[in-house]
Amino acid sequence: MGTGQHDASTGTDVDARVVRTRNDVLGTAIDVLIDDGWEAVTQPNIARAAGYSKATVYSHWPDRLDLLRDALARFGSMPHHEPTGDLRADLVAELISFRTALTEHRLDRVLAILAERASAVPEIADIRDRFVSDGERPLRDMLAEVATSDELESATMALCGAVLHPVLMHGEAPSDAAIEQAVDVTLRGLGLNR
Amino acid sequence: MGTGQHDASTGTDVDARVVRTRNDVLGTAIDVLIDDGWEAVTQPNIARAAGYSKATVYSHWPDRLDLLRDALARFGSMPHHEPTGDLRADLVAELISFRTALTEHRLDRVLAILAERASAVPEIADIRDRFVSDGERPLRDMLAEVATSDELESATMALCGAVLHPVLMHGEAPSDAAIEQAVDVTLRGLGLNR
């Protein structure tokens, strides 16, 4: 915050205050999205829920799509598994992190809302594509070490799908054993017998 | 229709007329769901769009969840691939049928709406679970011939996910080659080297 302007009237760095405001508002925007859906993510609603003025929220995000984009970017920076070099263990741990995000941080609901809105609004499709691709990157990078470029895409889709499909389409998170099974089938399928 | 009552005033079988009315209304309900989302699937809206009286629609479906359930049952009876006995070819063809339903019959939008609403409304979760399980059955039955019971679930989820995940989460249908790749990786992973 050393680069921020100092506001003598309050004794705080202006940048620090702005950062705090933005974080408050973006955190609230995700909560409102999860609880009430995309229709509820409007500047006046979010301002009320976060305890800021409408003018403040509009000044940072004149367009509610930017509010969604920034809220997702903040939500998406949740911890991934830190790779150890043991590919099987790393893939299992990354997919378990994904499952935790889906079930405990309500990423399931965020993705369901994005998928639904994206099928109607092209700008939301762009936001979803970016958000999903960023989330998949660690898994894709791990698989890229052992898969040919042809196989990489389908292995990534199959492993993401093995976690997301039961959650979104059956309302049931896969067990650790089911995740291990999916990883083992994929690794054997990629020619890595273990 | 031979068991239907004959209505002398119109010269039609009462049952035949009821069947036609129900089919008209259910087809319209799916169209409205796809075009305007679940909020629009109300008896008055569907009656207007289908050209029937509200009273008629309410008399068949006093509860709009029943209207959704019946509309999905009718939508879900789309053709699946008829198995030939060549497992790889059958799996590929079934997944291509799934892709066609997603992209050409807007099953993508139906599933996205169901996933989104199911995460908020438990009764819709039940309807989604039934609809998805029915749709997956042919694929699951094919895999059951070669997978252990442990492997069956994760192989089914991985193959469904390999088609659905790119469509719902990236807005991109997998190519034939990507589907073949996913099937080959899964079959090799199940110990079927080919």
Side-chain angles (χ1 to χ4, degrees), chain B residues 63-143:
Chain B
D63 183 334
R64 63 195 276 255
L65 287 173
D66 291 328
L67 181 54
L68 175 64
R69 194 177 285 112
D70 288 352
L72 289 173
R74 187 162 174 277
F75 184 73
S77 60
M78 288 192 309
H80 284 274
H81 168 69
E82 196 62 49
T84 64
D86 175 340
L87 181 62
R88 177 184 188 272
D90 287 341
L91 288 171
V92 168
E94 175 65 15
L95 290 174
I96 287 175
S97 294
F98 181 33
R99 183 188 64 193
T100 302
L102 288 169
T103 56
E104 292 178 20
H105 304 287
R106 303 306 316 272
L107 178 61
D108 63 334
R109 179 125 172 92
V110 171
L111 289 176
I113 291 169
L114 288 177
E116 192 280 314
R117 285 292 77 207
S119 66
V121 182
E123 291 87 347
I124 294 186
D126 292 340
I127 294 173
R128 173 206 57 188
D129 292 350
R130 174 67 175 274
F131 179 64
V132 171
S133 295
D134 285 351
E136 285 172 0
R137 186 155 305 121
L139 188 79
R140 193 182 297 267
D141 288 349
M142 289 177 204
L143 287 168

Side-chain angles (χ1 to χ4, degrees), chain A residues 86-104:
Chain A
D86 176 341
L87 181 63
R88 178 184 186 273
D90 287 341
L91 288 170
V92 169
E94 175 65 15
L95 291 174
I96 287 176
S97 294
F98 181 33
R99 183 188 64 192
T100 302
L102 289 169
T103 56
E104 292 179 20

Side-chain angles (χ1 to χ4, degrees), chain A residues 132-154:
Chain A
V132 171
S133 295
D134 285 350
E136 285 172 359
R137 187 157 303 123
L139 187 78
R140 193 183 299 267
D141 287 350
M142 289 177 205
L143 287 168
E145 289 172 28
V146 294
T148 65
S149 59
D150 272 1
E151 293 165 335
L152 177 59
E153 200 54 30
S154 61

Side-chain angles (χ1 to χ4, degrees), chain A residues 47 51 59 113 115 118 123 128 130 133 142 152 154 158 167 176 184 186:
Chain A
S59 75
I113 291 168
E123 291 87 349
R128 173 206 58 190
R130 174 67 176 274
S133 295
M142 289 177 205
L152 177 59
S154 61
V167 172
D176 286 7
D184 287 339
T186 299

